[in-house]
Each structure stands twice: as C-alpha cells, then as structure tokens.
C-alpha cells in the first residue's frame, strides 16, 4: 500500500492533476512523514516522489518545508537512514537557490555530511557533489568541493575512495589545466597504482572511466606518464586471461569464479573504451601500440567482451581511416564468431564498415582494395547460414537487410553466383515472414544493380514462374510482396514491362487471401502507368477490377475491392506529355475527308464513349424532353469516363445487370482527360437511376446495339429505364456529342 501510494502521489504530480499550491498543501506533509519509514524500500519510494516534487515546488516552500527541517535531520544525532536521505535531498535542492543561500545554509551541511562518522553517509554525500558543483559554479567548486574530494579520495573506506574518484572524473571539465595537472593527475596516478591491490570493484570502475580520463587529461601527461597509462590499459585488457586453465566451472571454487566474472567486466569495459584509446595514442600509431590489444579483444574467450568490441568496430574503422586495412582479419573473425550475439552487434553497421574497407586503405583502386578481402564472401555466406540455422530470426532478418549494400562492395557476378540464388531460396522455403520479405527486398536490389541481361531475364522468369505462378499460395503472396518492392526500387516502365500482367493475373487466384492482397496492391500498380503509352495495360487493369466486382464471392474480398475502386478513382494518372503531343499532331494531320467520315459515323451510330460531359434528357409524361440542368451537367463532369482515343470501356448490359445485384458500383473507367482522373459509374447516380428495376422492362435507345465483347473495343451500353407505381415509365437517353480531340 505504501509503495502504491508513493507512485500514485508522483503520478498526480506528473499529470498535473492539481495545482502546485494545492499539491504542496495536500500531499507534501504526507510525503515528508514517510521518508523515515522503517522499511528501506518504502522509504526510498517516498524519497523518489519527494525528489520529483522538489523540481516544481516554489523556492519559498522549499526553504520553509524542506530545507529548514533538513538542518536537524542531517545531524549526527539522527539515524543513518535520515542522514542518507538528507544527502540526496541536498544534491537535488542546490540548483534551486541563489549563491548566497547555498553558501550560508547548504554548504555547511554538505561539509558536515562529507565528514560523517559512517562511511555510507560519506560515500552518499560524495556522489552528490557532482550535482552540487553544477549548482554552485566554478569558483565555489574549486574552493569548497575540490578540497572535500581530495580528502575523500584518501578515505579509509574503499567505497568512499571509489565515489571520490568517479566524481573527480565526471567533473574534469569544470577544473582548469593547473588543477588537472597539479591536483587531479597525481590522484589518478595513485588510484591506478593501488587499484590492483584493492577490491576488484575498483578495477571495474576504473576500467569503465578510462575513456573519460584519456579525454579529460589529454595533453597533460608527460611522455613517461603517457606510456605508463597505456601499459596500464593493456594490462587491464588481458586481466584474468593468464589464469585460464581449461577446468570445468563446477571444479572452480566460488570465490575464484566470482573473481573471474569481475575480470570479464574489466575486459568488457576496456573494449568499450578502445576507440578512446586510439585517440589517446593517435591512429597513426595504432599498429605499433594497440593492434595486439585489439587482436586479443576480438579473440577474447568471453562473449560479452567480443560483443562489446563488435559494437565498437565501426568507430574503430572510422578512426583508422586509411589504416582500416589493418583490421581486415578481425572483421572476418567477428563475422565467423560462433556467437550470434557478436554477429548481431557487428552487422548493425556492416554496410558502413564494408564501405570503409572498400574505399579506405593504401590503394585508390577499388578492385585492389577488395582483393585484400579474399575471405569476405565465404565469411558473409557462413554468417547467413548460421543465422538461418538458429532460432534468432531477427538477427537473420537484419543480416539479409544489410546484404543490400553488397552491390556497392563486390561485383555483380559474385553476387549472382554466391548470394542471389540464396536469397531466392529463402523467399521460397523460409517459414518466417519478415525473413522472407527481407530476402525478397534484397533480391530486388541485387537485380536492380545487375547489368547482364541474360542473368536479369533468368531471375525475372524465376520470380514469375516459381513465385507468381507457384503451386503454393504462400509463394504467390510473396510474389505480390516482391512486386511491391519492385515498384519501390525499379522504374515504372520496368514493372509494367515484366510484372504488371503477371501481378493482375492473380485476380483469378483461387485463394481469397491472394486476391485480397492484390486488391491492396492495385493502387500502387496503377501508379506505374503512363497515359497514353500504357493504355492497353490500364484497360487490362480495369477488366480485372470489373471481374472482381462482378464475380467475387468472398464478402471480405468484395468489401476491399469496393474500397480499392474508390481509391483508384481518386488517383491522378501520369501523363506522357511527349506521346500525347505526337498523337495530337498525327490527329491534326489527317485529311479532312477522314475527319468528316468519322463525324458522320459518330452522328449515325451509338457513341462508343461516354464524353466528358453527358447531357441527359428525361422525357416527362407529356412526351417532351428537357435538357439537363446546370447542376446535372456539373455532376456529370465529375464522372470522368473518357478512355483512350475516345474508346470507352463498358461492360455488356448483362454484366451491368449482374453487377447490380452484387454492388451498387458497376466499375470504373479510366480517363485521359486533362485532370487525368478515373471515375466510378454508379447505379445510384441520378444519370442512371432506375425505379423498381426488378419489375420494370428494360428499354434501349433506338439505334443501340449489344456489344460483342466486354472490352473497350465494343459498343457502349445504353442506360435502362424502368417504371414505378407513382409515375409513368421514363426513358433516359444518351445524346452523342463529339468530344474534343
């Protein structure tokens, strides 16, 4: 209950459920009351809440409600727990007050707690000195905090000395060069010399802070001190390795086993700080000073050490720059590491590492640089096979994604013979969907950069035959994934040339999931088309959508089809301006007699298109017809249903009748008008509305004829009219009007 209450009070504060004034009045005393709870866990929970409250309380409230009582709480007469709480509160409050208040009321308490009789209190107060230094400024830090740190660094308690050392390292930037060279450097030197004789926990902390020390004291070391510090680092990198004896862990005494774990932590910290040590010795001196140490870390018997050096490998490569060739062998070693954790850490920056390997080094010719990595391809393939054989599919997925960089690193022939077929096999046989998709995308990138037409055609043929036309519906689904990647990576014309028709052919697929996935892909498929060059493909796409609308039995697929049709309707079509201009010139250059003949033919036959604006006349009971209102004309303008070369694509009347029983949307007709939009011809539109369609007879225009085919080359269908109980039957006729060329 106490823990929950502490968290709830903190939540109320963070969510600003009440004003700060109300919060302080209602909750602050409750929080302060429970700070000294006999249970340490409860006390710490309320302390965390109080520290959050201190961030937002007004200065006056802090002074009267917290700081003034703190003077008595920090006295030696109080319990150790009370004094520990006082240390943490002081560290949090310092930056809330002005310098005068800090110097007069806070710093005396800080000094008193730094000299407390209990080492726990001294250590706790020492760790708060960093926060206090940031609140009081440089001058007070040098005059008050630094002397306390120097005294605490010589404390008899190892935990106090450790706290003082870590605080000094974190405050290096605050001190000037004189303080660093005359005061801090001797302390660091003494601390390092005594560390091997002290507890291993001090070595762990020292090894972790080596990078900060190198950065903070850079330029202060004498050559002799520089050499000693470097030797100290090298010694830490191999700490505990000399004691390896190959015994079973069960035979090792517990205290020795615990010590070895601490040594592993030391070597792991050394690996973490390795990039900083390269800067410390200068990258030009890497081979002479640090290569052997780097070799040891990459071959360390413990996985955490190799994992950490694998994480740092990219930073090391960047620092070495032209000397990156020196660590080629270590890259191969880590790629072949038996632990997938090490491989996972390395491949995070594998593309950048391989790029540095291929563009760095002494030679300026890329082929020469790559020839220095004869084992790279076997190492990469072996790494992928190990990842595939494991249960860690995320590592496998990540590795396949990173392999997409290989076209920039090795030749297309090497990719074709060593990697491309493997990607195809993974797409066909792997059971993990993210892995299959990663392999599919990488395969598409390999294909994108392959310039040999016969190899390209072979891969394309395999994709179509074994995926798009595969026996397994799972493979056909992966084919649609591949089509999506091809649309993303390749040009629109490439997709239209090779994959457009195989993709839309899956509208005939017997599995509903395949048809459903295709429906989701159709907008992207349509976006690859350009008018008028791809008008035949657009006609095929429309045919497929009509078929889905009219014949789809699965209700889920049909619902997606309807949504997809609306999305297709809103899409803009890409116009090939050059092709349009050529066709316009050809049309303008025809003889007048031909134009007159076409005009006469259009005037004497039922039009094969629905023009941009269709005038609709509806005969009333008197038999007279009235032209469409301007509102109807505007509405019909929204129904952009012109198609290629004034040849619209309309279904047979029978198809329309069939579709009417399935969906209110008959189909959509692509447009090549200036707006380049598609539109949906709806049976519920005013232009084609019927009344009691089931019982009324169907009437055709006198000069209409049934089309011979449902494709765009056939004649258009006249609208049907029907009667109702209220009014006499009305007949809607379509007047032909010559559309603009």
């Amino acid at each position: 209950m106490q823990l929950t209450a502490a968290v709830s009070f903190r939540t109320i504060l963070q969510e600003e459920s009440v004003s700060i004034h109300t919060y302080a009045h209602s909750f602050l005393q409750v929080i302060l009351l429970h700070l000294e709870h006999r249970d340490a866990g409860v006390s710490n929970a309320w302390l965390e809440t109080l520290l959050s409250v201190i961030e937002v309380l007004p200065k006056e409230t802090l002074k009267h409600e917290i700081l003034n009582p703190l003077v008595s709480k920090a006295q030696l007469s109080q319990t150790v727990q009370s004094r520990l709480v006082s240390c943490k509160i002081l560290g949090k409050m310092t930056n809330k007050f002005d310098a005068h208040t800090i110097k007069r009321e806070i710093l005396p308490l800080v000094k008193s707690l730094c000299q407390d009789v209990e080492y726990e209190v001294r250590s706790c107060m020492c760790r708060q000195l960093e926060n206090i230094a940031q609140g009081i400024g440089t001058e007070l830090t040098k005059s008050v905090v630094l002397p306390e740190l120097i005294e605490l660094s010589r404390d008899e308690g190892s935990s106090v000395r450790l706290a003082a050392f870590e605080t000094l390292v974190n405050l290096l930037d605050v001190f000037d060069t004189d303080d660093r060279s005359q005061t801090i450097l001797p302390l660091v030197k003494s601390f390092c010399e005594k560390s091997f004789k002290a507890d291993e926990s001090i070595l762990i902390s020292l090894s972790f802070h080596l990078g900060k020390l190198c950065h903070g004291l850079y330029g202060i070391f004498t050559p002799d001190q520089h050499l000693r510090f470097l030797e100290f680092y090298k010694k830490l990198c191999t700490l505990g390795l000399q004691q390896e004896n190959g015994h079973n862990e069960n035979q090792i005494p517990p205290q020795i086993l615990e010590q070895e774990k601490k040594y592993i932590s030391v070597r792991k910290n050394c690996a973490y700080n390795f990039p900083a040590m390269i800067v410390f010795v200068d990258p030009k001196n890497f081979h002479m000073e640090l290569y052997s140490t780097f070799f040891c870390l990459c071959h360390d018997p413990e996985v955490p050490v190799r994992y950490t050096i694998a994480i740092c490998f990219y930073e090391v490569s960047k620092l070495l720059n032209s000397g990156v060739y020196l660590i080629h062998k270590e890259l191969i070693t880590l790629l072949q590491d038996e632990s997938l954790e090490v491989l996972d850490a390395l491949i995070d920056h594998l593309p950048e590492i391989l790029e540095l390997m291929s563009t760095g080094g002494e030679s300026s010719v890329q082929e020469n640089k790559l020839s220095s990595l004869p084992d790279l391809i076997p190492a990469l393939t072996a790494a992928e096979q190990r990842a595939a054989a494991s249960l860690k599919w995320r590592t496998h997925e990540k590795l396949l994604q990173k392999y997409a960089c290989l076209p920039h690193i090795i030749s297309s022939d090497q990719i074709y013979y060593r990697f491309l077929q493997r990607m195809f096999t993974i797409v066909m046989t792997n059971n993990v969907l993210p892995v299959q998709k990663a392999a599919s995308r990488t395969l598409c990138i390999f294909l994108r950069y392959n310039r040999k037409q016969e190899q390209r055609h072979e891969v394309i043929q395999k994709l179509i035959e074994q995926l798009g036309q595969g026996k397994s519906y799972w493979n056909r689904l992966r084919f649609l994934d591949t089509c999506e990647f091809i649309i993303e990576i390749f040009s629109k014309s490439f997709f239209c040339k090779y994959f457009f028709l195989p993709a839309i052919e899956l509208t005939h697929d017997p599995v509903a999931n395949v048809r459903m996935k295709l429906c989701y892909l159709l907008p992207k498929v349509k976006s690859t088309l350009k008018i008028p060059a791809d008008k035949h493909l657009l006609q095929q796409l429309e045919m497929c959508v009509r078929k889905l609308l009219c014949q789809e039995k699965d209700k889920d697929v049909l619902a997606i089809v309807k949504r997809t049709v609306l999305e297709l309707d809103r899409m803009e079509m890409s116009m090939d301006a050059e092709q349009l201009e050529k066709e316009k010139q050809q049309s303008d250059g025809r003889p007048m007699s031909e134009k007159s003949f076409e005009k006469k033919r259009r005037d004497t036959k039922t039009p094969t298109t629905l023009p941009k604006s269709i005038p609709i006349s509806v005969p009333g009971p008197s038999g007279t017809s009235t032209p469409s209102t301007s509102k109807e004309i505007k509405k019909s303008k929204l129904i952009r249903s012109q198609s290629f070369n004034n040849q619209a694509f309309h279904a047979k009347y029978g198809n329309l009748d069939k579709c009417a029983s399935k969906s209110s949307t008959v189909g959509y007709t692509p447009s090549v008008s200036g707006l380049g939009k598609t539109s949906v011809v709806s049976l519920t539109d005013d232009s084609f509305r019927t009344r009691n369609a089931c019982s009324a007879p169907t009437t055709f225009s006198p000069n209409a004829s049934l089309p011979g085919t449902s494709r765009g080359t056939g004649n258009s269908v006249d609208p049907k009219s029907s009667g109702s109980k209220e009014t006499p039957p009305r007949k809607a006729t379509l007047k032909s009007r010559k559309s603009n060329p």
Side-chain angles (χ1 to χ4, degrees):
M1 181 65 74
Q2 291 283 338
L3 294 174
T4 305
V7 173
S8 299
F9 280 26
R10 190 157 64 248
T11 303
I12 292 171
L13 176 73
Q14 292 168 349
E15 294 182 355
E16 299 180 356
S17 302
V18 296
S19 66
I20 296 301
H21 176 75
T22 304
Y23 189 94
H25 178 74
S26 304
F27 299 114
L28 184 56
Q29 290 304 319
V30 179
I31 297 171
L32 293 172
L33 181 65
H34 290 89
L35 284 178
E36 298 183 33
H37 195 280
R38 62 180 179 274
D39 185 281
V42 172
S43 176
N44 288 332
W46 285 110
L47 177 60
E48 289 299 319
T49 301
L50 178 62
L51 296 179
S52 299
V53 173
I54 289 174
E55 291 283 349
V56 296
L57 283 179
K59 187 184 299 184
E60 289 302 318
T61 305
L62 280 174
K63 186 172 183 179
H64 290 96
E65 300 292 340
I66 299 178
L67 181 57
N68 291 342
L70 203 63
V71 175
S72 61
K73 297 289 184 182
Q75 299 302 315
L76 286 174
S77 58
Q78 298 294 323
T79 62
V80 172
Q81 183 178 346
S82 176
R83 304 203 299 274
L84 290 173
V85 168
S86 299
C87 293
K88 294 178 180 178
I89 294 175
L90 284 172
K92 194 71 173 180
M93 279 201 310
T94 305
N95 60 357
K96 293 291 182 179
F97 296 101
D98 56 84
H100 177 71
T101 305
I102 293 173
K103 192 172 182 179
R104 184 168 56 87
E105 299 187 25
I106 294 181
L107 289 184
L109 290 176
V110 171
K111 288 183 178 181
S112 173
L113 291 169
C114 284
Q115 297 169 5
D116 196 278
V117 294
E118 296 293 335
Y119 74 91
E120 295 171 309
V121 178
R122 298 196 302 272
S123 175
C124 183
M125 192 66 252
C126 184
R127 294 191 179 278
Q128 299 302 319
L129 290 178
E130 180 182 351
N131 295 329
I132 292 171
Q134 293 172 355
I136 63 178
T138 304
E139 292 302 322
L140 281 176
T141 299
K142 292 175 63 175
S143 61
V144 178
V145 174
L146 184 56
E148 293 296 333
L149 283 173
I150 293 172
E151 185 175 349
L152 291 169
S153 67
R154 303 189 181 109
D155 195 277
E156 59 184 13
S158 61
S159 63
V160 180
R161 295 196 304 271
L162 181 60
F165 169 75
E166 292 179 354
T167 304
L168 276 171
V169 173
N170 292 332
L171 291 175
L172 278 175
D173 293 338
V174 177
F175 304 118
D176 56 27
T177 304
D178 290 339
D179 290 328
R180 294 181 196 174
S181 59
Q182 297 174 11
T183 305
I184 298 176
L185 183 57
L187 287 176
V188 171
K189 181 181 176 183
S190 173
F191 194 80
C192 293
E193 290 173 351
K194 296 176 181 178
S195 59
F196 282 101
K197 302 175 185 178
D199 183 43
E200 286 81 7
S201 59
I202 292 180
L203 281 176
I204 294 174
S205 176
L206 179 59
S207 61
F208 181 76
H209 289 91
L210 276 174
K212 285 185 178 180
L213 276 174
C214 292
H215 177 73
L217 300 177
Y218 189 79
I220 295 177
F221 288 110
T222 64
D224 182 59
Q225 290 170 335
H226 188 281
L227 182 59
R228 284 189 179 186
F229 198 81
L230 181 59
E231 291 301 321
F232 176 75
Y233 170 76
K234 291 180 181 179
K235 189 175 181 180
L236 291 179
C237 288
T238 57
L239 187 65
L241 295 181
Q242 299 84 354
Q243 300 175 10
E244 292 289 332
N245 50 20
H247 292 314
N248 192 320
E249 285 189 1
N250 296 328
Q251 301 174 352
I252 302 175
Q255 63 272 19
I256 300 298
L257 195 59
E258 188 66 27
Q259 185 185 54
E260 288 187 356
K261 288 181 180 178
K262 292 181 178 179
Y263 288 162
I264 292 171
S265 297
V266 170
R267 299 200 303 273
K268 177 184 174 182
N269 290 338
C270 289
Y272 169 77
N273 284 296
F274 193 83
M277 296 308 297
I278 293 179
V279 176
F280 183 69
V281 302
D282 195 306
K284 296 178 182 177
N285 300 322
F286 169 79
H287 188 264
M288 183 183 300
E289 301 287 354
L290 284 177
Y291 175 74
S292 59
T293 303
F294 186 69
F295 178 88
C296 290
L297 293 172
C298 290
H299 291 81
D300 194 278
E302 300 298 331
V303 171
V305 181
R306 303 197 306 273
Y307 173 84
T308 306
I309 201 66
I311 291 177
C312 298
F313 199 94
Y314 175 52
E315 291 297 325
V316 172
S317 302
K318 285 197 299 182
L319 289 170
L320 293 180
N321 196 10
S322 61
V324 70
Y325 67 93
L326 295 170
I327 58 173
H328 283 177
K329 292 181 180 179
E330 283 64 43
L331 173 63
I332 304 301
T333 298
L334 294 176
L335 281 172
Q336 296 174 335
D337 197 282
E338 60 184 11
S339 170
L340 282 181
E341 292 179 13
V342 176
L343 178 63
D344 189 86
L346 182 68
I347 62 179
D348 280 333
H349 291 287
L350 185 62
E352 295 87 349
I353 293 171
L354 292 178
E355 185 178 358
L356 286 170
M357 293 287 182
S358 64
T359 58
E362 295 176 343
S363 173
S364 60
V365 183
Q366 184 172 348
E367 292 299 325
N368 292 341
K369 297 170 193 173
L370 295 176
S371 65
S372 64
L373 283 172
D375 299 330
L376 175 61
I377 294 178
L380 290 172
T381 55
E384 187 276 323
Q385 290 170 359
R386 284 201 317 280
S390 73
L391 296 177
K392 296 182 178 180
W393 62 265
R394 288 181 178 84
T395 299
H396 193 199
E397 177 194 16
K398 188 196 297 186
L399 186 61
L400 294 175
Q401 290 170 345
K402 301 301 181 181
Y403 279 4
C405 73
L406 291 180
H408 305 290
I409 309 300
I410 58 180
S411 67
S412 60
D413 276 342
Q414 290 173 314
I415 290 175
Y416 179 78
Y417 291 110
R418 300 301 297 272
F419 293 97
L420 198 146
Q421 182 57 43
R422 176 60 182 165
M423 297 300 111
F424 192 81
T425 302
I426 293 171
V427 175
M428 291 284 294
T429 61
N430 198 279
N431 295 324
V432 182
L433 179 57
V435 171
Q436 286 184 306
K437 286 188 173 183
S440 176
R441 192 179 192 284
T442 300
L443 187 150
C444 291
I445 292 175
F446 289 168
L447 182 63
R448 168 71 177 79
Y449 287 96
N450 191 310
R451 296 304 180 192
K452 294 192 175 179
Q453 289 300 320
E454 46 209 46
Q455 293 179 356
R456 267 195 167 199
H457 288 154
E458 180 185 346
V459 176
I460 292 170
Q461 187 176 1
K462 276 187 176 182
L463 287 172
I464 294 173
E465 293 179 356
Q466 298 185 32
L467 285 182
Q469 300 169 1
K471 294 181 180 179
S472 168
Y473 86 98
W474 191 254
N475 287 342
R476 300 196 294 276
L477 288 174
R478 300 294 73 77
F479 176 74
L480 292 176
D481 288 332
T482 305
C483 287
E484 191 169 359
F485 294 135
I486 289 172
I487 292 173
E488 172 193 344
I489 295 168
F490 287 81
S491 66
K492 294 179 179 181
S493 59
F494 179 88
F495 176 81
C496 291
K497 181 177 180 181
Y498 295 107
F499 292 95
F500 186 95
L501 293 177
I504 64 173
E505 188 66 26
L506 292 178
T507 52
H508 307 288
D509 198 279
V511 179
N513 280 10
V514 178
R515 301 195 301 274
M516 187 181 298
K517 190 174 184 66
L518 175 62
C519 289
Y520 285 122
L521 187 63
L522 284 179
K524 290 186 178 180
V525 170
K526 184 182 177 183
S527 69
T528 63
L529 300 177
K530 288 186 178 180
I531 299 302
D534 298 324
K535 59 186 178 182
H536 61 292
L537 297 180
L538 186 56
Q539 189 175 359
Q540 293 287 338
L541 177 63
E542 180 190 348
M543 188 73 174
C544 292
V545 175
R546 279 186 184 276
K547 178 165 182 155
L548 285 171
L549 277 170
C550 298
Q551 299 181 7
E552 183 56 57
K553 300 290 193 298
D554 189 284
K555 62 180 182 180
D556 296 324
V557 178
L558 185 59
I560 295 170
V561 171
K562 292 177 181 178
R563 290 201 301 268
T564 302
V565 167
L566 295 176
E567 185 175 352
L568 292 171
D569 176 56
R570 291 190 295 266
M571 288 180 63
E572 296 283 347
M573 290 295 296
S574 299
M575 308 297 291
D576 191 338
E578 184 177 351
Q579 184 68 22
L580 283 172
E581 185 63 26
K582 287 182 180 179
E583 293 197 1
K584 183 178 179 182
Q585 290 176 0
Q586 291 175 0
S587 176
D588 292 343
R590 286 182 294 184
M592 196 64 187
S593 59
E594 184 180 349
K595 290 186 178 181
S596 300
F597 173 76
E598 284 193 0
K599 181 177 183 300
K600 182 178 180 181
R601 180 173 59 84
R602 286 196 296 266
D603 290 341
T604 56
K605 288 188 177 182
T606 301
T608 59
T609 70
L610 291 178
K612 180 185 286 187
S613 179
I614 307 174
I616 304 294
S617 60
V618 182
S622 62
T624 62
S625 62
T626 58
S628 300
T629 65
S630 61
K631 181 177 179 181
E632 289 174 316
I633 294 174
K634 289 180 180 178
K635 185 169 186 178
S636 65
K637 284 183 178 179
L638 295 175
I639 309 176
R640 304 283 184 186
S641 56
Q642 283 181 302
S643 68
F644 322 109
N645 297 327
N646 290 329
Q647 295 230 347
F649 186 82
H650 295 286
K652 296 180 182 179
Y653 176 78
N655 283 346
L656 287 172
D657 192 46
K658 183 175 181 180
C659 292
S661 65
K662 289 181 173 286
S663 170
S664 62
T665 303
V666 176
Y668 80 97
T669 310
S671 166
V672 292
S673 63
L675 294 177
K677 288 203 174 188
T678 60
S679 62
V680 176
V681 181
S682 174
L683 288 176
T684 61
D685 193 283
D686 291 342
S687 303
F688 292 94
R689 183 164 296 169
T690 60
R691 302 203 178 191
N692 201 0
C694 296
S695 60
T698 303
T699 307
F700 292 94
S701 180
N703 54 358
S705 61
L706 286 173
T709 177
S710 62
R711 293 181 179 266
T713 55
N715 295 327
S716 66
V717 179
D718 286 330
K720 45 185 181 174
S721 62
S722 61
S724 67
K725 294 179 181 180
E726 292 83 3
T727 59
R730 297 187 300 171
K731 180 167 69 178
T733 61
L734 300 180
K735 289 187 178 181
S736 172
R737 186 174 72 183
K738 181 180 178 183
S739 59
N740 294 328

